[in-house]
């Protein structure tokens, strides 16, 4: 009887330890999302998006449009898996098009987080 209780106790400790280790391993392997702010070193990327944005789309309406771009940085430093949400679907589509086709590469991407969120505001003036 004592051996059975001792065996159950040892198994309980092993299961608890295994679950704790598994949970800790999962927490350290999570991909973090980083929200990009004004003075963060992404100025060049913002400028490229602005330079390549097509303001001639007739569906764009006048005003300030806010969008959030979520993208991944691959192991070789390229932008991938771009998704955009925001005020205007046409602005979102254009930002997605620009970001998806940029010939841009981050240097030393091994030290970077993998997922970023970049807020972008686009001012559309009357034509």
């Amino acid at each position: 009887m004592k051996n059975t209780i001792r065996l159950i106790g040892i198994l309980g400790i092993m299961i608890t330890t295994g679950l704790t280790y598994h949970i800790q391993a999962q927490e350290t392997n999570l991909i973090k999302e980083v929200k990009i702010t004004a003075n963060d070193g992404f100025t060049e990327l913002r400028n490229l998006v602005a330079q390549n944005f097509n303001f001639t789309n007739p569906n764009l309406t006048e005003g300030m449009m806010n969008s959030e771009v979520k993208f991944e940085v691959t192991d070789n430093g390229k932008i991938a898996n771009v998704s955009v949400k925001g005020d205007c679907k046409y602005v979102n589509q254009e930002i997605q098009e620009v970001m998806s086709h940029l010939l841009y590469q981050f240097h030393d991407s091994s030290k970077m987080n993998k997922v970023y969120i970049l807020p972008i505001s686009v001012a559309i003036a009357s034509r």
Side-chain angles (χ1 to χ4, degrees):
M1 183 71 170
K2 285 184 182 182
N3 286 339
T4 305
I5 293 172
R6 187 177 298 171
L7 180 62
I8 291 172
I10 291 171
L11 285 175
I13 291 171
M14 290 174 62
I15 290 171
T16 303
T17 304
L19 285 175
T20 303
Y21 177 77
H22 182 68
I23 290 170
Q24 287 173 347
Q26 284 182 340
E27 287 175 0
T28 58
N29 290 332
L30 291 177
I31 296 175
K32 296 179 183 176
E33 290 181 357
V34 176
K35 189 151 189 165
I36 299 171
T37 58
N39 298 319
D40 51 17
F42 284 81
T43 305
E44 184 181 10
L45 180 60
R46 279 191 187 89
N47 290 340
L48 285 170
V49 171
Q51 290 167 7
N52 290 286
F53 192 92
N54 179 8
F55 288 95
T56 62
N57 184 336
N59 294 315
L60 296 177
T61 57
E62 185 179 343
M64 180 66 76
M65 307 298 165
N66 297 304
S67 297
E68 261 191 6
V69 183
K70 185 175 181 178
F71 64 94
E72 294 179 21
V73 176
T74 63
D75 291 336
N76 63 359
K78 296 193 177 183
I79 294 172
N81 300 323
V82 177
S83 63
V84 185
K85 63 180 180 178
D87 298 339
C88 175
K89 72 178 184 177
Y90 302 110
V91 169
N92 296 343
Q93 289 170 351
E94 182 62 25
I95 293 171
Q96 176 142 4
E97 184 72 17
V98 170
M99 289 283 293
S100 297
H101 293 95
L102 275 180
L103 298 176
Y104 188 82
Q105 188 168 1
F106 292 94
H107 301 291
D108 208 8
S109 60
S110 63
K111 294 182 181 177
M112 295 180 67
N113 288 303
K114 296 299 178 192
V115 180
Y116 289 89
I117 299 174
L118 174 67
I120 294 180
S121 295
V122 178
I124 308 294
S126 62
R127 298 172 196 172

